[in-house]
Amino acid sequence: AFGSAEVAYAPAQIIRTFTVRNLDTSPLSLTGSPRVALSGAHAADFSVVSPLPAEIAAGSSATFQIRFAPTAAGPRLATVTIA
């Protein structure tokens, strides 16, 4: 959840940082293009600010950020897919 942002005020945005942890003993390869994808009814209200690397080493983690900048009032929904 991103919380509330006032649509009437510029810039109305919230940035959240997410962490992907590789608990395996082998590197985690992310082969999607893009590696972090946004989809759904209000996907345009969200954007990836900093993407994930192509590989996360065994036992390591990596972060990515998503910006929420609503274009209308009310709940805004999107799905994040990591590949």
Side-chain angles (χ1 to χ4, degrees), residues 1-2 38-46 68 70 72-80:
F2 277 80
L38 302 167
S39 61
H42 308 115
D45 287 352
F46 299 84
F68 171 54
R76 312 302 286 168
L77 303 174
T79 299
V80 178

Side-chain angles (χ1 to χ4, degrees), residues 11 14-15 18 20 27-28 32 35 38 40 50 52-53 57 60 63 68 72 81:
I14 298 171
I15 295 176
F18 300 90
V20 176
L28 173 64
R35 291 185 285 274
L38 302 167
S50 61
L52 284 167
S60 295
T63 61
F68 171 54
T81 303

Side-chain angles (χ1 to χ4, degrees), residues 12-13 16 25 29-30 38 45-46 51 57-58 61 74:
Q13 65 179 8
R16 295 281 189 253
T25 57
S29 295
L30 300 173
L38 302 167
D45 287 352
F46 299 84
S61 62

Side-chain angles (χ1 to χ4, degrees), residues 6-7 13 15-16 21 28 30 32-33 36 39-40 44 49 51-52 54 57 61 65-67 79 82:
E6 296 292 329
V7 176
Q13 65 179 8
I15 295 176
R16 295 281 189 253
R21 290 189 177 96
L28 173 64
L30 300 173
S33 182
V36 178
S39 61
V49 177
L52 284 167
S61 62
Q65 293 182 317
I66 294 179
R67 174 185 292 124
T79 299
I82 299 169

